[in-house]
Amino acid sequence: MPATSQLPFSRIGVIGAGAMGRGIAQLFASAGVPVLLYDTRADSLQQALAFNRELLERAAAKGTLSADALAATLHRLKAASSLDELAGCDLLIEAIVEDLDAKQALFAELEARVAADTVLASNTSSLSITRIAARCRHPERVAGFHFFNPAPLMRIVEVVRGQRTSAAVVTRLARLAEQAGHFPALSPDSPGFIVNHAGRAFSTEALRILGEGIASAAQIDRILRDTAGFRMGPFELLDLTGLDISHAVMESLYQQFYQDPRYAPSPLAAQRVAAGLLGRKSGEGFYRYQDGQQVREAEPRPEPVNLDRPFWLDSQDPELRHRVGLLLSQAGVVLESAETPSARAICLVTPLGEDASTCIDAQGLPTERSLALESFGELDRRRVLMRQPALDPRLEAQARQALGTDGVPVEVINDSPGFITQRVIASIVNLGCEIAQRGIASPLTLDRAVHLALGYPFGPLAFGEHFGTARILTILQGLQACYGEPRYRPSPWLRRRVQLDLPLHSPDAAE
Ligand code: NAI
């Protein structure tokens, strides 16, 4: 633990003792800085102190915190009974209600009490730092310091530079964050900063897929968990956060970006919020909850059918052909090797960014016997088949059974350009590329911030490298062609790097 004298701030005031304020106060008290915590509600303040004490005592009981460190941390963490008591702090961090007027009013009150060089930071997650600072006498000392919940455990904080924030203030906050063990992700003042901006793609694209009736929420969650490595599906996450909160963030970003269709929220989400289907906290969202636990519904198990058809696969990829061939032979049916399918074959196509209908039409395949197999993500944990409107349901049942012969679950979804995994991953990569393009975060900061804050298996740009940047570009072009919407327009950052054969992490050479 660094000595207090080495830290860039000697005394920190935290205003607002709710979920965030109490965590921020605990983080810096643990890092060796004396902290004063203030709240207009005395009961909130006392609850926060009791909460922190209990957490720290539990850590001491488990042996992760020494008795001396426990005593010292508790000694450093004190309540302030008025704003006047914060006058001697050289850093004030507000974590009050998310309301521009309230934050501006608070900063005016603070400026009247503190020294001219005291840094004023806001933990806002959605308001503009520049606007919060706009009514301050010294806007150069105002910055964003955006933590994630729970602040002591989520080892990242966005350090946000408003239009007038001085570079020295950003540097001091970043040093403080590092010394407390957090990664400071530097960002200019931009809607959603880095993480809430980059995180939009996962949920909005999943809601769009749900809204189009392509698959159920549970299917989308299962597919994204098992084929792309997400710890939680988008609908589980929306239920955890609360759809009212998430939908408000989606609407706010959409408006702040002047209705760029990339950020379009879902009408479905608006309706579900109106119906009170908020998630865990209301007992029902995309899933049902009993005593705080999700009620798990068993996955549907289709009736066994007789397999009496050969299969044909459009892909020449030797590994995929080998795997599919092996599976089918286990199921007792053959994978044809001729260039064109026989008259009885069930035809499997493997589109990238196209829907099954387009792919089948382009190859001139029989519509009642053709469906698509997702070959983009992980195939060992879950497989995805995609029907199209003319598919014979009896042949769908055969394909589903044959491709699940080894016990790996098979999902069947409705027609979609880019299935589910392709379009969600491509949307995440594309938004990440836009963030890099606009200079909102450096490529490495972006990936690290998203990985730490959202727990994705990869950051957005690393996702692109993992799945292949040229394939991501193809998927986006397919989506754009299918829907004719600018929502899916590829970012220039992505297109140029594919064209010039550069990794997504490479900045412009001249920079
Ligand atoms: P909360 O509702 O748990 O706590 C807010 C606290 O501020 C309450 O105890 C309230 O009594 C107090 N308060 C309200 N107005 C005040 C004022 N004028 N002066 C002093 N105290 C006042 O809210 P939470 O979740 O802790 O959020 C606080 C801020 O942090 C918001 O700006 C929010 O957007 C942001 N944030 C929240 C995250 C979360 O996951 N909850 C994550 C990151 C940022």
Side-chain angles (χ1 to χ4, degrees):
M1 200 61 61
T4 309
S5 59
Q6 295 169 326
L7 288 159
F9 295 97
S10 62
R11 181 177 295 271
I12 296 176
V14 177
I15 303 122
M20 294 309 295
R22 72 185 180 203
I24 296 167
Q26 188 204 313
L27 172 70
F28 290 124
S30 299
V33 195
V35 176
L36 283 170
L37 184 59
Y38 172 75
D39 199 291
T40 39
R41 286 183 43 194
D43 57 334
S44 296
L45 190 54
Q46 291 316 315
Q47 276 166 18
L49 291 173
F51 181 90
N52 282 345
R53 172 181 284 273
E54 203 185 310
L55 270 188
L56 292 165
E57 284 174 350
R58 226 183 294 153
K62 272 200 292 182
T64 50
L65 189 68
S66 72
D68 285 352
L70 170 68
T73 305
L74 290 174
H75 181 71
R76 282 191 290 265
L77 184 52
K78 299 221 162 66
S81 55
S82 74
L83 285 182
D84 292 336
E85 287 178 34
L86 304 179
C89 295
D90 47 7
L91 169 62
L92 295 174
I93 306 169
E94 74 76 18
I96 66 165
V97 58
E98 186 74 341
D99 178 278
L100 181 63
D101 288 341
K103 291 193 195 282
Q104 284 181 331
L106 174 66
F107 275 34
E109 284 203 59
L110 294 176
E111 273 204 312
R113 289 171 168 80
V114 298
D117 59 351
T118 294
V119 171
L120 303 182
S122 171
N123 184 50
T124 180
S125 45
S126 65
L127 301 171
S128 155
I129 296 304
T130 308
R131 293 186 71 186
I132 292 175
R135 297 219 319 243
C136 287
R137 276 185 284 127
H138 294 290
E140 69 282 356
R141 51 131 134 219
V142 178
F145 209 28
H146 179 222
F147 289 86
F148 295 80
N149 193 13
L153 300 181
M154 298 290 290
R155 299 214 160 271
I156 165 166
V157 55
E158 291 174 316
V159 183
V160 183
R161 191 179 70 245
Q163 288 291 339
R164 289 177 180 271
T165 310
S166 83
V169 163
V170 169
T171 306
R172 276 177 87 189
L173 289 173
R175 268 183 52 216
L176 174 69
E178 270 171 352
Q179 289 179 355
H182 276 40
F183 170 59
L186 305 192
S187 162
D189 189 17
S190 168
F193 311 133
I194 302 169
V195 171
N196 280 341
H197 185 172
R200 279 319 93 210
F202 189 52
S203 44
T204 56
E205 194 55 22
L207 279 161
R208 165 108 189 207
I209 291 167
L210 181 68
E212 284 180 21
I214 289 164
S216 70
Q219 278 185 304
I220 297 169
D221 279 353
R222 291 195 295 257
I223 289 170
L224 286 167
R225 277 197 319 255
D226 288 350
T227 72
F230 290 100
R231 276 202 308 244
M232 250 193 201
F235 297 102
E236 291 166 306
L237 190 61
L238 287 169
D239 271 6
L240 184 68
T241 312
L243 192 60
D244 50 343
I245 305 281
S246 303
H247 183 60
V249 174
M250 290 183 228
E251 288 205 311
S252 157
L253 256 86
Y254 180 56
Q255 297 306 340
Q256 290 184 70
F257 282 118
Y258 295 107
Q259 308 190 349
D260 182 334
R262 272 206 185 102
Y263 307 96
S266 163
L268 195 67
Q271 286 217 348
R272 296 182 68 94
V273 170
L277 298 166
L278 306 181
R280 245 166 227 275
K281 65 184 175 189
S282 70
E284 187 176 354
F286 295 101
Y287 300 92
R288 287 177 188 279
Y289 297 86
Q290 256 169 17
D291 306 323
Q293 293 299 312
Q294 185 185 322
V295 180
R296 299 253 166 215
E297 305 222 347
E299 288 185 38
R301 286 189 169 275
E303 288 295 312
V305 293
N306 192 25
L307 302 181
D308 64 357
R309 299 277 187 138
F311 281 70
W312 179 88
L313 178 68
D314 71 348
S315 170
Q316 294 312 312
D317 176 56
E319 198 191 321
L320 183 66
R321 288 197 73 83
H322 175 72
R323 295 186 62 176
V324 172
L326 212 61
L327 257 181
L328 294 176
S329 75
Q330 277 176 31
V333 290
V334 291
L335 176 63
E336 296 180 349
S337 54
E339 220 168 88
T340 51
S342 69
R344 281 179 46 78
I346 297 174
C347 307
L348 296 173
V349 295
T350 50
L352 199 65
E354 282 179 329
D355 61 6
S357 303
T358 308
C359 191
I360 289 162
D361 179 46
Q363 297 188 49
L365 294 170
T367 56
E368 71 291 350
R369 290 191 275 130
S370 300
L371 71 167
L373 169 68
E374 171 69 292
S375 58
F376 183 76
E378 177 61 59
L379 283 170
D380 287 338
R381 297 183 62 195
R382 189 167 295 272
R383 302 191 184 111
V384 182
L385 288 169
M386 190 159 71
R387 52 171 87 89
Q388 38 77 23
L391 177 66
D392 180 338
R394 290 168 302 186
L395 302 188
E396 172 188 314
Q398 287 204 28
R400 176 183 199 151
Q401 182 168 316
L403 286 156
T405 303
D406 58 354
V408 170
V410 178
E411 304 280 354
V412 187
I413 64 169
N414 288 326
D415 209 0
S416 157
F419 297 80
I420 289 170
T421 305
Q422 288 179 27
R423 62 194 274 181
V424 169
I425 298 287
S427 300
I428 291 171
V429 177
N430 203 30
L431 211 51
C433 286
E434 269 304 282
I435 289 171
Q437 181 66 54
R438 296 182 208 173
I440 295 167
S442 73
L444 290 174
T445 296
L446 166 67
D447 271 6
R448 189 157 175 210
V450 168
H451 180 63
L452 283 171
L454 302 178
Y456 290 1
F458 298 98
L461 304 183
F463 249 136
E465 295 296 339
H466 179 76
F467 283 103
T469 51
R471 294 208 297 164
I472 298 289
L473 182 60
T474 303
I475 294 164
L476 291 165
Q477 288 165 336
L479 278 156
Q480 199 183 9
C482 176
Y483 291 115
E485 288 177 47
R487 173 179 174 82
Y488 298 103
R489 66 194 189 279
S491 165
W493 181 278
L494 171 66
R495 180 180 48 73
R496 290 179 189 137
R497 277 156 184 75
V498 171
Q499 286 169 330
L500 304 175
D501 202 18
L502 291 171
L504 286 187
H505 287 103
S506 78
D508 290 359
E511 275 176 9

